[in-house]
Amino acid sequence: MESGRGLFDLSGKVALITGSSRGIGRAIAERMAEAGASVVISSRKEDACRAVAEAINERHRDKRALAIAASISDRGSLERMVEQVLQTLGRIDVLVCNAASNPYYGPMAGITDEQFRKILDNNIIANNWLVSMVGPQMRERKNGSVIIVSSIGGLRGSPVIGAYNISKAADMQLARNLAVELGPDNIRVNCIAPGLIKTDFSKALWDNPKTLDFYTRVTPLARIGEPDEIAGAAVFLASPAGSFVTGQTIVVDGGATVTGA
Ligand SMILES: NC(=O)c1ccc[n+]([C@@H]2O[C@H](COP(=O)([O-])OP(=O)(O)OC[C@H]3O[C@@H](n4cnc5c(N)ncnc54)[C@H](OP(=O)(O)O)[C@@H]3O)[C@@H](O)[C@H]2O)c1
């Protein structure tokens, strides 16, 4: 265990963050770069990734960010991304499975099999693919941190985003299972479960004064969160500060889950 200022230091580490062209993923990438990591910015859109990588490289002149487009729906493109990172940067110490989908709002009775499968594929199975792709070189070095961005939805029932919540609950269990499997090789696997955070993904909720008022009232901190407020938990889990934490879900929600509302 390191002490002093090395506690949150990610110097020399390589972090691959899916869905990092905006929102929570971008904030995690920016803060990991600030903590010293080289970061891989990834989403479906090459241009958006390149813009974020350039902004990070501009701030950290030693060129720390690499942009690679890959869809989490496409196993081949994820494999090519991981291969390219390993060839270019030599290693992946930190994997952040952040990108996710939610193509359906409504009761479970109305969801099509195709919509349900898309949610399970993108939000659970793709995370397992990525871990299986980056895991072997972590195993060789006997060191790695995997962070899955779940949601407090995974701790609750919902009449509107039920399938999404099932996928996010499964992510918490995926982290527990993988923590047991990979722990002997010093690979830690954890989730972060954000509450409502102001991003494009959740715009329908915070853009509507009625729902924003509801979330503000049921959250002890009396506001919704900003993407950057999720990044600290990710840096903690990736860094020496988190070296004895595995199989856990860290809730970052302004207290929303403790109110019972
Ligand atoms: N915002 C919230 O209130 C909230 C709460 C709890 C949990 N979360 C979770 O936080 C994570 C990030 O969400 P966010 O709110 O930051 O969303 P966001 O701002 O909409 O960003 C989503 C990111 O994922 C990328 N992405 C979307 N689909 C993808 C795909 N098929 N393959 C690869 N990349 C893809 C997007 O870029 P492209 O569109 O260019 O691909 C973008 O970079 C998700 O797992 C979400 O479930 C969010």
Side-chain angles (χ1 to χ4, degrees):
M1 177 72 171
E2 293 178 30
S3 62
R5 62 191 261 283
L7 207 51
F8 297 95
D9 187 14
L10 297 179
S11 302
K13 303 285 184 192
V14 174
L16 164 57
I17 303 116
T18 66
S20 44
S21 63
R22 58 176 192 265
I24 292 168
R26 178 178 185 159
I28 291 173
E30 286 174 343
R31 290 297 187 169
M32 286 189 172
E34 191 179 274
S38 295
V39 291
V40 180
I41 307 302
S42 175
S43 83
R44 291 168 298 186
K45 297 183 191 109
E46 176 100 44
D47 287 356
C49 294
R50 208 173 304 126
V52 172
E54 278 168 11
I56 291 174
N57 287 330
E58 191 62 32
R59 232 170 299 141
H60 307 283
R61 290 297 180 151
D62 41 348
K63 295 284 171 213
R64 284 180 165 145
L66 184 69
I68 305 177
S71 170
I72 53 166
S73 305
D74 179 354
R75 188 177 182 137
S77 87
L78 294 178
E79 273 167 352
R80 285 190 292 280
M81 170 173 67
V82 168
E83 193 51 39
Q84 191 183 332
V85 178
L86 293 178
Q87 275 178 11
T88 314
L89 299 172
R91 56 199 286 155
I92 298 170
D93 303 277
V94 178
L95 167 66
V96 184
C97 299
N98 167 72
S101 306
N102 186 24
Y104 175 77
Y105 293 85
M108 291 305 292
I111 194 167
T112 64
D113 289 355
E114 194 190 351
Q115 288 167 323
F116 202 173
R117 285 201 185 98
K118 181 86 179 165
I119 292 170
L120 302 181
D121 282 349
N122 279 1
N123 300 3
I124 312 167
I125 293 174
N127 294 342
N128 195 48
W129 285 344
L130 279 163
V131 175
S132 70
M133 290 170 199
V134 303
Q137 50 88 44
M138 287 180 169
R139 270 195 155 122
E140 272 175 31
R141 285 197 312 280
K142 296 262 181 280
N143 195 19
S145 173
V146 176
I147 300 161
I148 301 173
V149 179
S150 172
S151 167
I152 61 167
L155 298 167
R156 297 177 145 178
S158 166
V160 181
I161 52 168
Y164 171 80
N165 284 1
I166 289 167
S167 74
K168 293 298 184 174
D171 279 334
M172 296 178 195
Q173 185 59 31
L174 183 64
R176 287 187 280 263
N177 291 348
L178 291 172
V180 171
E181 282 183 36
L182 305 178
D185 287 313
N186 195 32
I187 300 168
R188 297 177 295 105
V189 188
N190 293 286
C191 285
I192 298 171
L196 182 56
I197 305 297
K198 195 170 184 184
T199 68
D200 292 350
F201 188 76
S202 58
K203 194 170 194 296
L205 297 175
W206 53 261
D207 217 19
N208 176 336
K210 261 173 96 173
T211 48
L212 178 61
D213 178 61
F214 169 77
Y215 283 102
T216 304
R217 275 188 291 107
V218 300
T219 303
L221 289 180
R223 62 178 177 84
I224 65 169
E226 296 291 332
D228 196 45
E229 296 186 281
I230 302 302
V235 171
F236 162 70
L237 289 170
S239 70
S243 64
F244 202 47
V245 181
T246 196
Q248 305 303 308
T249 295
I250 299 181
V251 173
V252 184
D253 70 344
T257 46
V258 301
T259 61

